[in-house]
Amino acid sequence: LTKSSCSRRMDKTYKPVMTAEFEKALVTLRTCPFSKLTQKQAEAVIAVLASREDADQGNPHGWSFAEEMDALTRILPFMVTAFNSIDRNADEVISKPEFDEWFQNPRLEHKTEEGRWGSANLVEVETSLPGHCKRGLDGPDGLLCLMGQVQRLHFDGGLRDTMSLRDLIHSSMKIVATASSDVKE
């Protein structure tokens, strides 16, 4: 045994790289946002999002995101369908002008009764959801508000011209985590 393999075996905190599973999760979310992720894919999403946080005294969350993950998973499929609606050429990248245009007529990719994909506005999507699934998508703190925060954080705060699906998920998590810490304070 070499010293490096021995130290890796002894290190109880060693975790395999989850990048491949995270990429698979992105593909699953992109193609069928309401399907369930595999256990490995879900763990990869949590691991990637948590890896972006510092576990120091100044961070109110450390690496614990239970409430924030619940909040994110409730809205994430709708955010992905909004992203899909914006990304008409399906290259998994949207521009700031495309995002701006979406706010003029916010629509979500939506599976119709015939099993085909189409687009629908937020009110149509909200009314089509079963009673226990109502999310307030069209409400004051709904999807439109969250997408606006994502847009400001990513494009204005980051001074960027494009956004990938990965960027959308990272920005969403940051906003959900920040909103949660603001409520706790």
Side-chain angles (χ1 to χ4, degrees):
L1 293 171
T2 66
K3 184 177 179 182
S4 64
S5 68
C6 224
S7 63
R8 198 175 319 132
R9 272 190 335 168
M10 295 161 105
D11 183 5
K12 301 290 187 219
T13 61
Y14 174 75
K15 300 279 189 243
V17 177
M18 296 283 219
T19 306
E21 289 301 324
F22 184 74
E23 293 299 326
K24 289 178 188 174
L26 290 179
V27 169
T28 300
L29 285 170
R30 176 119 174 118
T31 56
C32 194
F34 294 96
S35 69
K36 294 186 179 193
L37 298 176
T38 67
Q39 182 69 31
K40 282 185 177 183
Q41 291 170 346
E43 288 172 1
V45 170
I46 301 300
V48 167
L49 294 173
S51 72
R52 296 174 59 91
E53 293 295 320
D54 296 325
D56 63 7
Q57 297 287 347
N59 186 344
H61 304 293
W63 284 329
S64 175
F65 282 108
E67 290 177 34
E68 293 79 8
M69 281 296 134
D70 287 346
L72 182 66
T73 56
R74 281 191 293 276
I75 196 74
L76 187 60
F78 299 102
M79 296 190 73
V80 171
T81 59
F83 183 91
N84 288 345
S85 179
I86 298 168
D87 184 24
R88 298 314 314 156
N89 61 357
D91 64 353
E92 295 189 24
V93 176
I94 60 174
S95 66
K96 186 172 183 343
E98 288 173 321
F99 211 134
D100 292 339
E101 184 180 321
W102 180 82
F103 280 104
Q104 303 306 312
N105 184 21
R107 302 186 71 73
L108 304 177
E109 286 289 314
H110 190 65
K111 206 171 221 180
T112 63
E113 289 181 20
E114 301 85 40
R116 295 188 179 134
W117 286 96
S119 69
N121 67 36
L122 300 180
V123 174
E124 290 175 90
V125 172
E126 185 75 27
T127 56
S128 73
L129 295 173
H132 68 281
C133 291
K134 298 295 184 195
R135 300 285 186 249
L137 297 176
D138 52 350
D141 293 327
L143 182 67
L144 201 57
C145 176
L146 188 56
M147 292 294 279
Q149 291 173 328
V150 166
Q151 182 192 40
R152 284 188 297 282
L153 176 68
H154 184 80
F155 290 114
D156 299 342
L159 301 173
R160 299 181 185 137
D161 296 330
T162 60
M163 175 189 287
S164 68
L165 182 58
R166 176 187 290 253
D167 295 333
L168 175 87
I169 293 172
H170 286 172
S171 295
S172 302
M173 182 58 198
K174 187 171 200 157
I175 290 165
V176 168
T178 303
S180 175
S181 68
D182 290 346
V183 169
K184 289 177 184 175
E185 291 174 358

